[in-house]
Amino acid sequence: MTVKKGQPALPVDFNLPRQVTELKGRDDETYLQFTTHMVTFYEQTYGEHSRFFMALRDAKLIGSKCDKCGNVMVPAATWHCPNCNFAEMHEVELPHHGVLAQTAPITIFPSASFIGDAPFARGYVDVATDAPVASFLMARLRTTTGLERPGIFVKGTKLKLVFEDEREGSIRDMFFVPMSELPEKLQKKQPLFASELDFASPAPPAVKSDAAKAKLKDAAVASMKRLAADVEKSRRAQADLSNRTYVLGIKTGGGDFTLRVANARLAVEDGLPAKADFTLVADDPRVFSDWVNDGSLTDAAVEGSLWLPSKEAFQVLPALDRLPRSTRRDLKDKK
Amino acid sequence: MRKVGIVGAGITDCRGRWVEATYWDLFQQATRRACEDAKMSTSEIDSVVYGIYNDIFEHQAIPESTLTGLIGMANKPGTRVTSGGATGFYAMRTAFMEVASGTSDVVLCVGGEKATDCFDPRSKTATPMVIDTIAKSWDPFFEYPLGATASDSYMQICMAYNDNHPGDIGDPEVRAKIVEILCHAGNRNPFAQRRDETVTAEQVMSSRWIIAPFLRLLEVCMYTEGAGAIIFASEKKAKEISERTGQPIIWVKGVGAANESYSPGRGGNYKRLHNIDSDRIAAERAYKNAGITAKDVQIVELHDAFVAQLMVTMGELGFVPLGKTRNLIDEGIMVDPKTLKDNQAPPKGKLLVNPSGGLIFGGHFVGGSNMFSTWSCRREMINRKVPLGMIHGTGAINAVFGGAMILELDGGAS
């Protein structure tokens, strides 16, 4: 999880007890390992980059421009043009919009420092589009339509620069959203702030109902009910669900149902709940029968066939994904 | 410049984790095996080049200092090279130059990594911490704070390539078939990390997403702990050693390298996102240096971080056209080693690609991965009597470091 301002730079739970433990080698001999760390704290100088980050604090985007070749660097990584014998570059203010230079990857399995932030997208944005030669700006990419997922951030997508309301002088002070998600008056607003957009309550996608999907929904619900019954008999599956309590409303093209996790058990009910923690949408109900057959809700969310409103909703999926395997292992062991 | 030959090679077993050995012992194992292979003692070696990628993995700054005495290199010159994923290539280039220049007659080039001792306290697994350690390859001001990983870095180049060349590397079936062939290759390598695995194209296509919609779990390279050593010698010394060992010399016929800018952009010297120009430039230089073309090469051991990147790299190296790298499968250019006898050269117009199993099935101990490739390429060239082979290395953020080396079997195919 990205560390918030004022919190310890190294989160307190990011630690290991000091100990020496035994482990077996391939030769069946005993070997030792000890817990240790390699942590260095920094007061990292921004140096020549300071101007760029001070501009971000002022909700401005600046670059460095070479008068000789017209090269624009944004962020201003240097103030002396590498193409022109290090000729002096001067500061230019850049527009708050750009074009995505390449289809962006979406990170699902982040590094240790960013666990909890996934899924997230980042990519390279062409902002100095008038310059003959220009660097791209690396940035977070966000959407107001739910989770970042394939199909939103493709090459050529027009993007709008958005600033966080509270800025400290970090590359995370800003991000881009697809221009098409903004009402016209916000498209032109400069600077635009995150609080002017609604990320908290994305509109769920519409589903197309038909009789074929209704059958598929009934089949999916039946297989999930079997899974729920197996969880009753599986210690591994109960461990997967322990200390988790939530209600998921699920809308599909074949009808709605509810998944309830409580007391280390899974329950499947028809219809939407009165109050859901999260409402998930899948036009094709087979997303859920595939899950029970050793598929993965995470994969469905990542592909976009399962729509989620938020990253918090994404965090409930890994435990659910473990259930088919856990129950199979326990029930097979018993047989 | 003097002629330079490879006269000995040794690698350790490739493992996900070695609890039986630290990197001290791994480097010693590789050195010992290379010396055994060249039938020489360390007293015949003039100097050493170390390939060690990352101090954080080894958990020691100047990790080569502890190795010096243990691998028999006390009181000899020693240079450590670190160039990301291309560390092994650049270490070998350094060893080659040292012999070619006349500074030394025999140079040991040894590289390796102890990568998976890293451990993430929150997930209670190694992987997120290993990823974090590699993610420190991004700069601390602009890129690292965005959470980019090594997978993102290479995949965004592949995805950009796919933007410009749809229907090529974007076909999951083609990629899955390549994985299947690489698996067969790994099965034949007695040191390969995944030598006992069977992976089918169907399994690849149903494995978990790492980065949607382009990278599945079974298309990714491994983290390996291990080491590899190559002994480079001058022409005179190489002939002397070859007579002793009865093994033909593998000559270094050409070397090429290129590193692109860190910053991606449009025009000028910026890194182009939709190509791996460093691979192309390095290969062009190596071919020119060797006086050959891609058509003359029959074995290539390339750095396959991901299958999609393998395809782009094969295009950049000139083996298949960019935009049509799927010809590797569609036209059967990438030969399945299962269809060849162990002493059989690939038929004309076909290529053995990563007969070691590559980084996906063979091993990827970063600082020595390209020595692993060289060990394999030499083995295959000698066994199959293949006159020309190629080693490729790539590394750093967005695959901006590139290197290529052309190897020639002494006496050619005769």
Side-chain angles (χ1 to χ4, degrees), chain A residues 14-323:
Chain A
F14 208 72
N15 213 330
L16 290 172
R18 211 181 81 84
Q19 58 185 359
V20 180
T21 48
E22 291 186 354
L23 65 176
K24 278 270 183 272
R26 289 200 185 178
D27 52 10
D28 224 26
E29 296 290 325
T30 300
Y31 294 88
L32 298 177
Q33 64 180 3
F34 63 106
T35 51
T36 175
H37 59 82
M38 194 173 190
V39 173
T40 308
F41 291 98
Y42 298 86
E43 288 191 320
Q44 184 99 41
T45 37
Y46 266 133
E48 73 280 14
H49 307 318
S50 301
R51 284 163 74 178
F52 174 80
F53 288 103
M54 283 192 279
L56 286 190
R57 287 199 311 204
D58 296 339
K60 285 183 187 151
L61 181 67
I62 63 159
S64 51
K65 183 175 181 181
C66 174
D67 290 327
K68 284 194 170 169
C69 70
N71 172 26
V72 172
M73 278 205 102
V74 53
T78 178
W79 295 93
H80 294 92
C81 183
N83 302 331
C84 300
N85 266 326
F86 309 107
E88 192 96 17
M89 297 171 87
H90 70 267
E91 186 176 312
V92 282
E93 210 173 326
L94 290 153
H96 291 197
H97 55 82
V99 177
L100 190 59
Q102 108 287 12
T103 299
I106 292 164
T107 304
I108 306 156
F109 298 106
S111 63
S113 304
F114 295 89
I115 282 183
D117 289 353
F120 58 85
R122 40 163 289 290
Y124 294 108
V125 186
D126 194 353
V127 285
T129 45
D130 292 339
V133 178
S135 78
F136 298 146
L137 173 64
M138 65 294 283
R140 289 185 291 151
L141 305 172
R142 295 185 66 191
T143 175
T144 54
T145 65
L147 286 188
E148 287 73 29
R149 56 197 185 277
I152 299 176
F153 298 107
V154 298
K155 182 185 178 179
T157 301
K158 290 197 173 75
L159 299 167
K160 172 75 180 179
L161 179 64
V162 184
F163 287 95
E164 297 288 357
D165 291 72
E166 279 187 38
R167 296 172 306 284
E168 52 176 352
S170 151
I171 197 72
R172 298 184 72 88
D173 285 348
M174 52 133 211
F175 57 89
F176 283 87
V177 293
M179 193 67 93
S180 60
E181 292 181 14
L182 302 180
E184 206 166 325
K185 67 174 190 339
L186 292 187
Q187 291 186 3
K188 298 238 168 66
K189 189 169 180 290
Q190 183 168 320
L192 179 64
F193 295 103
S195 59
E196 298 175 77
L197 302 173
D198 181 9
F199 290 97
S201 47
V207 295
K208 274 191 196 160
S209 305
D210 65 41
K213 283 181 199 155
K215 271 191 178 171
L216 292 170
K217 192 269 295 187
D218 291 342
V221 166
S223 54
M224 283 184 287
K225 282 187 172 165
R226 281 195 295 275
L227 176 66
D230 287 347
V231 170
E232 292 281 342
K233 293 175 262 175
S234 165
R235 272 201 199 156
R236 281 191 179 94
Q238 288 163 22
D240 293 336
L241 298 180
S242 67
N243 301 318
R244 292 169 201 271
T245 305
Y246 43 76
V247 181
L248 304 178
I250 319 275
K251 285 184 176 175
T252 81
D256 307 333
F257 57 91
T258 299
L259 290 180
R260 209 177 280 277
V261 170
N263 306 318
R265 296 294 189 279
L266 173 71
V268 187
E269 296 154 16
D270 280 322
L272 289 177
K275 194 174 176 300
D277 293 300
F278 307 108
T279 302
L280 283 50
V281 183
D283 186 59
D284 186 345
R286 279 177 295 190
V287 163
F288 290 88
S289 31
D290 288 349
W291 161 50
V292 176
N293 293 315
D294 264 352
S296 152
L297 293 175
T298 305
D299 271 9
V302 161
E303 285 166 3
S305 50
L306 174 63
W307 180 87
L308 304 176
S310 64
K311 289 187 206 306
E312 289 72 28
F314 188 74
Q315 307 303 332
V316 310
L317 302 183
L320 293 175
D321 278 343
R322 282 194 287 274
L323 296 181

Side-chain angles (χ1 to χ4, degrees), chain B residues 10-15 18 26-27 30 51-53 57-58 84-85 87-88 110-115 189 191-193 221-229 303 358-359 362-375:
Chain B
I11 60 168
T12 64
D13 195 26
C14 295
R15 296 187 184 174
W18 272 87
L26 294 175
F27 274 67
I52 305 173
Y53 151 58
F57 277 149
E58 269 61 49
T87 294
V110 58
E113 219 72 52
K114 189 91 174 72
N189 177 355
F191 296 87
Q193 189 167 330
C221 67
M222 305 169 288
Y223 306 112
T224 302
E225 298 195 334
H303 189 118
L359 276 49
H364 185 21
F365 40 88
V366 185
S369 296
N370 303 145
M371 282 72 130
F372 169 87
S373 302
T374 306
W375 167 86

Side-chain angles (χ1 to χ4, degrees), chain B residues 141-293:
Chain B
F141 313 108
F142 302 109
E143 294 271 22
Y144 178 82
L146 297 177
T149 67
S151 300
D152 297 329
S153 147
Y154 273 51
M155 281 326 289
Q156 64 197 1
I157 301 305
C158 293
M159 291 167 78
Y161 172 96
N162 184 59
D163 286 335
N164 287 15
H165 302 288
D168 187 23
I169 66 171
D171 185 336
E173 219 172 306
V174 171
R175 300 202 308 269
K177 282 182 179 159
I178 292 177
V179 174
E180 217 173 64
I181 296 177
L182 293 171
C183 177
H184 296 159
N187 293 147
R188 311 171 43 259
N189 177 355
F191 296 87
Q193 189 167 330
R194 298 168 69 190
R195 56 188 176 253
D196 299 325
E197 278 187 43
T198 305
V199 173
T200 63
E202 290 72 35
Q203 286 171 327
V204 176
M205 288 188 287
S206 59
S207 65
R208 295 288 306 273
W209 286 115
I210 302 295
I211 292 171
F214 235 90
L215 182 67
R216 290 188 186 268
L217 183 63
L218 291 174
E219 304 182 49
V220 188
C221 67
M222 305 169 288
Y223 306 112
T224 302
E225 298 195 334
I230 306 291
I231 297 170
F232 292 86
S234 64
E235 184 172 10
K236 184 165 165 253
K237 215 44 202 170
K239 285 181 173 162
E240 188 190 312
I241 294 164
S242 166
E243 211 147 286
R244 196 192 303 168
T245 61
Q247 294 191 89
I249 304 162
I250 297 288
W251 299 107
V252 179
K253 199 173 167 64
V255 182
N259 292 357
E260 298 170 74
S261 294
Y262 179 80
S263 307
R266 181 165 43 72
N269 288 319
Y270 290 114
K271 155 85 190 148
R272 293 199 301 161
L273 283 170
H274 51 276
N275 276 78
I276 310 180
D277 285 330
S278 47
D279 282 353
R280 178 181 51 80
I281 300 167
E284 282 170 0
R285 286 179 181 156
Y287 293 140
K288 195 176 169 213
N289 194 217
I292 66 160
T293 68

